Amino acid sequence: ADGPSADVDDGNINNDQLTLREALNFINSIPLPEDGAPPTRFNIGFSRGGTITTTAPLEIRRGVDIHGGVKIKGSGQDRLFTIDDLDPSASINVSLFGLQLVGGRADLGGSIYSTENLSLDDVVISDSQATLDGGAIYAEVPAGGKVKFSIDLDKLREDRG
């Protein structure tokens, strides 16, 4: 995905202006296999850093890894990610790597609301609020599922001085 700061979906994924929202909407539109085969897991990376300011929650409905040193900033009116494949009998795997999530707000999970398997590695969440539960993250872990957080304690100590 490209185009930090952009949060649009013009429906054209071939115009060298692919945004994170466009990439996720395209991935979400791909039908799941009907033969019981495992669904494809997608990867989204960024060619350059920057800040993406969201105008609405980013929806994740398929297994995906998102990585690459960008800041995803909310408007303070909505959460940043809603992770839900809409199928209570199935679960997907979603991993977020090397992201900064800032300024999410919702009733449940200010930055992330997830009903799926979720892994966060080198993700910094700040200035996120929930009015009911899960200030930064609200996770309803599927049966047999998992939520994994990787914390670099040495880096945390350095940041705190």
Side-chain angles (χ1 to χ4, degrees):
D2 216 341
S5 80
D7 185 39
V8 297
D9 183 352
D10 64 9
N12 183 355
I13 63 168
N14 296 310
N15 63 0
D16 294 328
Q17 296 177 2
L18 182 63
T19 67
L20 178 57
R21 184 171 305 281
E22 277 181 313
L24 289 172
N25 287 345
F26 176 75
I27 289 167
N28 292 340
S29 73
I30 296 172
L32 292 172
E34 294 181 20
D35 60 1
T40 302
R41 183 138 174 204
F42 299 92
N43 286 292
I44 298 174
F46 297 90
S47 61
R48 60 184 180 268
T51 299
I52 299 167
T53 302
T54 61
T55 57
L58 296 161
E59 305 282 337
I60 298 177
R61 303 206 189 290
R62 300 289 183 266
V64 67
D65 298 331
I66 301 174
H67 49 90
V70 297
K71 179 189 291 186
I72 300 174
K73 182 179 180 197
S75 64
Q77 303 298 313
D78 294 300
R79 82 174 45 92
L80 304 180
F81 287 100
T82 300
I83 303 169
D84 184 352
D85 69 357
L86 304 177
D87 183 353
S89 66
S91 62
I92 59 172
N93 297 311
V94 174
S95 296
L96 305 178
F97 304 96
L99 301 174
Q100 294 180 37
L101 307 180
V102 180
R105 181 175 169 81
D107 54 351
L108 299 171
S111 281
I112 299 172
Y113 173 89
S114 177
T115 61
E116 308 299 334
N117 295 313
L118 177 63
S119 177
L120 303 178
D121 189 6
D122 195 24
V123 173
V124 176
I125 301 174
S126 61
D127 194 26
S128 290
Q129 301 175 23
T131 56
L132 297 177
D133 202 359
I137 301 168
Y138 184 86
E140 293 181 16
V141 182
K146 63 184 176 184
V147 174
K148 177 185 161 212
F149 303 98
S150 297
I151 300 171
D152 183 341
L153 294 177
D154 291 329
K155 183 175 180 186
L156 183 62
R157 286 184 195 106
E158 287 174 16
D159 291 346
R160 292 186 175 221

